Amino acid sequence: MTTEKSNSEYLKACGLIPGGVNSPVRAFKSVGGNPIFISRAKGSKITDIDGNNYIDYVSSWGPLLLGHAHESIVEAIKKASEKGTSYGAPTIAENEMAELIIQMVPSIEMVRMVSSGTEATMSAIRLARGFTGKNKIIKFAGCYHGHGDSFLIKAGSGAVTLGLPDSPGVTEGTAKDTLIAEYNNIFSVEKLFNEQGNNIAAVIVEPAAGNIGVVLPKNNFLEELRKITKKYNSLLIFDEVITGFRIAKGGAQEYYKVIPDITTLGKIIGGGLPVGAYGGKKEIMEKLAPVGPIYQAGTLSGNPLAMAAGIAMLKFIKENPNIYNDLEIKTSKLVNGLKNNLEKTGVKGIINRIGSMFTLFFNDSGKIEFFDDVMKSDKEKYAKYFKLSLETGIYLAPSQFEAAFVSYAHSDEDIEKTIEASYNTLSKLN
Ligand code: HOZ
């Protein structure tokens, strides 16, 4: 296997684009080596410019629930593009998209489309502040809500992978309005509310954390967040950019049966095109301009190509309710196979999973429930595992602190091949 062409394009890219990548998580900085450059992808497979094929578990970091280049999505984009790529004026497609989201996500009565998950979360906290008249927000260490200034404090994803959880460039004034609590530790939240409850506009949380690897909410954590936010007239924001339409049709809120005030969405709702959305109770959403005074806007918001792709995705999900069952069966088969491999090879590892997203942590803490548990993972071991997996044709996230995603397009054969490859890879780690 050679990656010569990728290596030379990467060298070129480094002179043109900071770090050679347009988003830091794509660099192989924490695992070593150079990123591979992709030429095309179909179904569960991705192909690099040297002609190597991989079974893909990055899935563009979450959006590709149906796999790459799904016919219904490609067709919808083709059709829409023939009628123009952007109008900056309303379309029927935006109504259709809004109706689908409102039907499928339990807490959403009204929704505003934007162009990325980051835009959705930034807008959601502005809305929460404007609605409540309070300034502070609570976020959890390790949770990642995109790269808005207010969120780059103890942030997960690329920020934790690269050791940059508190980014320079975020002003002290902004940082002081973000209060940090510990995920899965309700006492840390209560303490902040006891001290500053009257000035907390919202708690924002990934209901199942996916940006430090997968970490699931412990018993009642989400219910307790719901209770305490209600008690202090703060809003509860579920950042479902990853979990929305991933772990259930109605996202984590349907799965865990906890209803937030505002939900942020992205990834899957765009079918692989750049889309975000935020929605919630009508009385809150109607505070947005032009009905209300809280301003938020976007030239490409509700873009017709993005709406076409998103509608095709959501309709497919609606018309194929078996999809989550299928993903559950496939992913549990894969994860059980990986667990067996860990046992057989004696490599210390813990796998957290929900639905079709999971993380194998190289970690011997017994279980991973807190950010501190995650941070005890063996990054060097992950780097070796990543590199050897790549050589055997398995494309994983180039970071220990990310989720792997199984798509509807992954076949039984893909799963079996992955289990076999991981056995060989794990055998070489000890
Ligand atoms: N949430 C994604 C990774 N955890 C973001 C992808 C990116 O930053 O490019």
Side-chain angles (χ1 to χ4, degrees):
M1 169 183 170
T2 169
T3 53
E4 259 170 50
K5 287 186 185 159
S6 278
N7 290 343
S8 101
E9 285 301 327
Y10 178 60
L11 268 183
K12 184 173 168 192
C14 285
L16 302 168
I17 303 167
V21 288
N22 278 313
S23 194
V25 294
R26 298 177 197 174
F28 282 16
K29 219 169 163 182
S30 79
V31 289
N34 298 335
I36 52 166
F37 277 55
I38 306 306
S39 62
R40 62 182 185 278
K42 179 75 189 160
S44 61
K45 312 284 187 325
I46 197 159
T47 305
D48 70 16
I49 56 173
D50 289 277
N52 303 302
N53 293 310
Y54 308 87
I55 303 173
D56 180 20
Y57 289 98
V58 177
S59 285
S60 187
W61 306 91
L64 306 176
L65 189 74
L66 307 181
H68 291 276
H70 190 271
E71 298 77 38
S72 62
I73 294 177
V74 172
E75 239 354 88
I77 297 171
K78 273 190 198 160
K79 262 197 189 154
S81 65
E82 281 162 10
K83 295 191 234 157
T85 53
S86 183
Y87 317 120
T91 60
I92 294 174
E94 289 162 84
N95 285 354
E96 207 180 332
M97 183 74 167
E99 269 171 350
L100 282 165
I101 293 175
I102 291 165
Q103 275 166 21
M104 293 163 94
V105 183
S107 69
I108 297 188
E109 296 172 3
M110 222 175 211
V111 64
R112 172 63 67 80
M113 301 308 301
V114 291
S115 296
S116 71
T118 291
E119 224 184 310
T121 52
M122 289 188 333
S123 309
I125 58 162
R126 182 182 307 137
L127 177 59
R129 285 173 167 146
F131 181 79
T132 59
K134 304 175 188 184
N135 289 337
K136 307 225 183 255
I137 57 157
I138 295 181
K139 86 170 268 292
F140 295 91
C143 278
Y144 180 74
H145 307 289
H147 63 90
D149 284 3
S150 303
F151 305 121
L152 289 181
I153 298 145
K154 301 259 183 301
S157 191
V160 74
T161 301
L162 300 172
L164 305 166
D166 306 308
S167 174
V170 173
T171 64
E172 261 175 53
T174 299
K176 85 173 176 8
D177 281 335
T178 300
L179 309 175
I180 300 296
E182 187 185 22
Y183 186 79
N184 268 337
N185 176 356
I186 197 66
F187 302 112
S188 69
V189 180
E190 281 168 359
K191 186 169 180 285
L192 292 172
F193 271 103
N194 285 338
E195 290 162 3
Q196 316 189 45
N198 292 335
N199 202 15
I200 296 173
V203 173
I204 184 165
V205 66
E206 297 176 69
N211 283 290
I212 40 174
V214 174
V215 179
L216 304 181
K218 283 193 350 167
N219 307 338
N220 293 335
F221 178 61
L222 300 175
E223 286 87 342
E224 292 299 326
L225 288 181
R226 182 62 286 183
K227 270 191 218 154
I228 196 162
T229 44
K230 259 206 181 122
K231 179 172 161 196
Y232 284 91
N233 289 322
S234 294
L235 301 185
L236 179 61
I237 305 174
F238 273 6
D239 178 350
E240 296 231 43
V241 169
I242 291 181
T243 52
F245 301 96
R246 166 62 61 184
I247 62 178
K249 176 175 64 61
Q253 54 198 268
E254 177 185 300
Y255 188 92
Y256 291 109
K257 299 188 176 52
V258 176
I259 300 299
D261 301 296
I262 301 177
T263 299
T264 58
L265 296 166
K267 302 206 192 260
I268 290 175
I269 56 161
L273 263 60
V275 178
Y278 62 111
K281 291 190 182 127
K282 218 170 183 174
E283 59 162 324
I284 301 174
M285 294 305 290
E286 286 194 327
K287 291 282 181 252
L288 287 174
V291 217
I294 302 168
Y295 201 75
Q296 179 272 313
T299 302
L300 292 172
S301 294
N303 171 267
L305 302 196
M307 293 305 96
I311 290 166
M313 171 70 89
L314 298 192
K315 272 192 175 161
F316 189 93
I317 293 172
K318 220 178 137 193
E319 286 159 15
N320 295 276
N322 65 320
I323 185 170
Y324 294 100
N325 194 32
D326 175 90
L327 286 167
E328 175 69 30
I329 293 169
K330 269 194 298 219
T331 316
S332 68
K333 181 175 169 185
L334 173 57
V335 165
N336 287 339
L338 297 178
K339 282 184 179 166
N340 271 341
N341 288 345
L342 288 169
E343 223 169 275
K344 283 195 275 182
T345 56
V347 175
K348 295 266 177 281
I350 298 166
I351 304 182
N352 281 355
R353 172 179 85 86
I354 180 158
S356 56
M357 57 191 270
F358 71 93
T359 300
L360 161 53
F361 295 96
F362 289 95
N363 192 309
D364 58 6
S365 305
K367 50 186 169 179
I368 296 192
E369 298 177 337
F370 301 102
F371 183 45
D372 285 352
D373 301 331
V374 169
M375 294 315 284
K376 287 179 198 141
S377 305
D378 186 339
K379 289 192 279 179
E380 268 98 69
K381 205 162 252 180
Y382 183 84
K384 273 192 210 156
Y385 181 70
F386 167 84
K387 210 167 159 240
L388 290 166
S389 296
L390 198 66
E391 283 165 13
T392 55
I394 310 290
Y395 186 59
L396 303 172
S399 164
Q400 168 71 101
F401 308 117
E402 297 285 358
F405 297 100
V406 176
S407 79
Y408 198 47
H410 283 79
S411 63
D412 275 345
E413 200 194 333
D414 290 331
I415 302 294
E416 276 151 27
K417 254 193 184 163
T418 308
I419 295 172
E420 196 185 316
S422 101
Y423 177 77
N424 296 329
T425 301
L426 290 169
S427 305
K428 293 181 190 150
L429 290 189
N430 268 340

